[in-house]
Amino acid sequence: SDIQEYIDKQSKILDDILTGYDKRFIPTIPEHPLKVELQVVISDVFNLDDSNMELEMLLYIRQIWFDHRLSWNSTEFHRIKVREHFLDKIWIPDIRMKNLKDMKHFREFGGVNMNINSNGRIYYSQLSLVKIDCPMILHKFPMDEQTCYLKFSSYAYAKSLLQFSLAERKTVVKPVHLPQFYFVGTSKDKGITPTITLTFQRRFGYYIIQIYVPSSFLVLLSWLSFFMDPTDIGNRLALEVTMILSIVFLLGNSNNSLPYLSYTKASDLFIIVSFGFVFMALLQTMLAYHLAIKKEPFGKTTTSDPLTRLKNYFVVFKRKKKEKAERKREQNENEENKCTRCVEPVDTDVVFERASGEQSGVVSRFWLDKMCIVAFPTLYIIFNVSYWSYYM
């Protein structure tokens, strides 16, 4: 039949070119290195892992080279398509990635495509799942931009025998959807080591909700102590200590998915500064309480009883009843003049001095809180403006 005749002609060509073919040797000599053109198609990017600093993706690695031993003269067949069973019969470039961690081929699932042209040009494409090392610089985390590299070279052959070069066409990248990163684009370096650069921009919306908003709210809550009585030391300390513990927990939780680093990230800086504001509010609480008890009358500490507080601001002078009789001038009068209750007039100078002193103590206590109500938010706003201007 026509089909069988067509297959027989192709089989005869392949049998002829494989006669005397030795796949152990590269089809070139040292003075003229074999040039292999690379075309890379990124089918999908599955994961960019922060903790392990690695990138996992699905690639089509296409290689084009010439092997004069596989050429033939024919006017009917200029190209023959072969599959994975032909790979073990010819020489194939031993391409490798310098930063490769793991690679999986899919030969059994249609992951190989090969064309042999009559002039000896070979087109070889394979589908591979690769996992490469991607060192990350996390100084600006989570507003960072990460760059990963695909570096191609030969494993066994020196550059005097085999040289890889990237094709002129742009690297094809299928749509990439990652939960934590935007795919920015690719670039190529056609130097001694062909390199494809992949750039990713982190999506920091998740970290705004999980880190920045809680930290800011904890700082705002710590300022509630400025509106409380400075002598209410128990409640004010309870509030500040709770905020400090919450920020410490937030700092530890924000680094769970990241490797252990010896430098400070942008997120760490924000949380540490927020911690500093809460700690300063705690110190302000202690200072306000110290000033409050220092101004108490007669060196007594302020009590929580309102009646007792009120009595401390007044001075009452009492005098016992006195009976006085005047029988000096008139001997005939037997009338007795008694002073049933005499209260010595209050020394107004003493009372005024005492009251004014106590009033100045009250003013000084609330003056400190009022100053902090203005100073703390102002400094925190200045920090936020500087922080976001620098990192954005």
Side-chain angles (χ1 to χ4, degrees):
S1 63
D2 294 338
I3 297 178
Q4 186 62 44
E5 182 180 357
Y6 183 82
I7 294 175
D8 291 340
K9 289 181 180 180
Q10 288 187 333
S11 298
K12 185 178 184 306
I13 293 175
L14 294 178
D15 291 339
D16 290 342
I17 61 177
L18 289 177
T19 300
Y21 185 91
D22 194 339
K23 67 177 183 179
R24 296 176 298 175
F25 301 100
I26 184 173
T28 189
I29 56 177
E31 290 78 10
H32 300 84
L34 179 65
K35 298 186 180 297
V36 179
E37 181 181 298
L38 289 176
Q39 298 177 0
V40 178
V41 176
I42 301 176
S43 178
D44 198 1
V45 178
F46 296 118
N47 186 30
L48 180 55
D49 190 358
D50 293 318
S51 58
N52 297 320
M53 293 192 177
E54 59 186 20
L55 175 65
E56 185 177 12
M57 55 188 170
L58 191 64
L59 301 179
Y60 289 97
I61 303 176
R62 299 169 179 172
Q63 304 177 64
I64 300 173
W65 73 95
F66 284 88
D67 190 343
H68 67 280
R69 296 173 296 178
L70 299 178
S71 59
W72 68 89
N73 294 322
S74 175
T75 58
E76 184 177 0
F77 296 99
H78 298 285
R79 186 180 65 180
I80 299 177
K81 181 179 288 295
V82 294
R83 294 299 301 276
E84 59 273 2
H85 57 270
F86 201 76
L87 297 177
D88 296 333
K89 300 179 180 180
I90 65 173
W91 179 89
I92 295 178
D94 60 338
I95 188 171
R96 68 155 182 164
M97 299 180 192
K98 290 187 175 181
N99 55 340
L100 181 67
K101 281 189 171 183
D102 190 19
M103 175 180 285
K104 182 179 180 182
H105 299 290
F106 300 93
R107 294 184 178 181
E108 295 81 7
F109 300 95
V112 172
N113 180 26
M114 176 175 284
N115 298 326
I116 302 178
N117 296 341
S118 59
N119 60 352
R121 181 179 182 270
I122 301 174
Y123 171 86
Y124 172 46
S125 175
Q126 60 178 338
L127 179 65
S128 303
L129 177 65
V130 300
K131 185 182 295 184
I132 62 173
D133 181 40
C134 183
M136 299 182 183
I137 300 176
L138 299 174
H139 287 286
K140 292 187 176 182
F141 175 89
M143 285 80 68
D144 55 326
E145 185 177 271
Q146 299 301 333
T147 302
C148 302
Y149 302 94
L150 291 172
K151 299 180 179 181
F152 300 96
S153 66
S154 173
Y155 180 77
Y157 296 98
K159 295 186 181 299
S160 60
L161 287 176
L162 180 61
Q163 293 182 0
F164 289 97
S165 62
L166 295 173
E168 295 295 334
R169 59 184 298 184
K170 185 178 180 180
T171 303
V172 179
V173 181
K174 303 290 179 66
V176 176
H177 302 283
L178 292 174
Q180 294 191 28
F181 290 91
Y182 296 103
F183 180 71
V184 178
T186 62
S187 61
K188 294 187 293 185
D189 182 7
K190 299 180 181 180
I192 299 177
T193 302
T195 303
I196 297 178
T197 303
L198 296 89
T199 306
F200 299 88
Q201 177 67 48
R202 191 182 302 274
R203 305 172 187 260
F204 59 88
Y206 169 81
Y207 300 97
I208 293 291
I209 299 174
Q210 296 295 324
I211 296 178
Y212 292 95
V213 172
S215 298
S216 300
F217 270 103
L218 290 175
V219 174
L220 293 177
L221 289 175
S222 69
W223 297 341
L224 292 179
S225 63
F226 302 152
F227 298 92
M228 300 170 64
D229 192 328
T231 61
D232 193 3
I233 187 65
N235 291 331
R236 292 185 67 158
L237 281 180
L239 175 63
E240 301 299 346
V241 172
T242 301
M243 296 303 103
I244 287 179
L245 294 177
S246 299
I247 288 189
V248 171
F249 172 79
L250 185 63
L251 178 60
N253 189 56
S254 64
N255 293 322
N256 286 341
S257 60
L258 298 175
Y260 297 109
L261 303 173
S262 59
Y263 53 83
T264 303
K265 305 183 296 297
S267 60
D268 296 336
L269 177 62
F270 190 89
I271 297 177
I272 291 173
V273 173
S274 299
F275 175 85
F277 273 90
V278 177
F279 184 74
M280 292 301 296
L282 174 63
L283 296 181
Q284 189 275 346
T285 294
M286 301 299 298
L287 179 60
Y289 177 71
H290 176 73
L291 294 178
I293 63 175
K294 188 177 181 180
K295 295 295 183 178
E296 285 300 320
F298 303 109
K300 297 181 180 179
T301 58
T302 303
T303 178
S304 59
D305 185 4
L307 294 177
T308 306
R309 293 181 185 177
L310 185 60
K311 292 179 181 179
N312 290 332
Y313 293 99
F314 296 94
V315 177
V316 179
F317 298 91
K318 293 184 179 181
R319 182 176 291 180
K320 297 181 179 181
K321 296 181 180 180
K322 296 181 180 180
E323 296 180 356
K324 295 183 179 180
E326 295 182 357
R327 299 179 179 178
K328 297 180 180 180
R329 295 182 180 181
E330 297 180 358
Q331 296 180 357
N332 297 327
E333 293 181 0
N334 295 325
E335 184 182 358
E336 296 180 358
N337 293 327
K338 297 182 179 180
C339 182
T340 58
R341 182 180 183 86
C342 292
V343 179
E344 185 177 347
V346 178
D347 190 344
T348 56
D349 293 338
V350 175
V351 174
F352 180 77
E353 181 181 358
R354 179 67 174 278
S356 62
E358 293 303 317
Q359 183 66 19
S360 65
V362 175
V363 172
S364 65
R365 291 199 301 257
F366 287 100
W367 172 83
L368 179 61
D369 284 339
K370 289 180 180 179
M371 182 189 69
C372 293
I373 290 173
V374 176
F376 274 65
T378 302
L379 293 176
Y380 197 63
I381 290 173
I382 293 175
F383 162 71
N384 273 271
V385 172
S386 304
Y387 178 89
W388 294 107
S389 299
Y390 177 78
Y391 286 106
M392 295 298 292

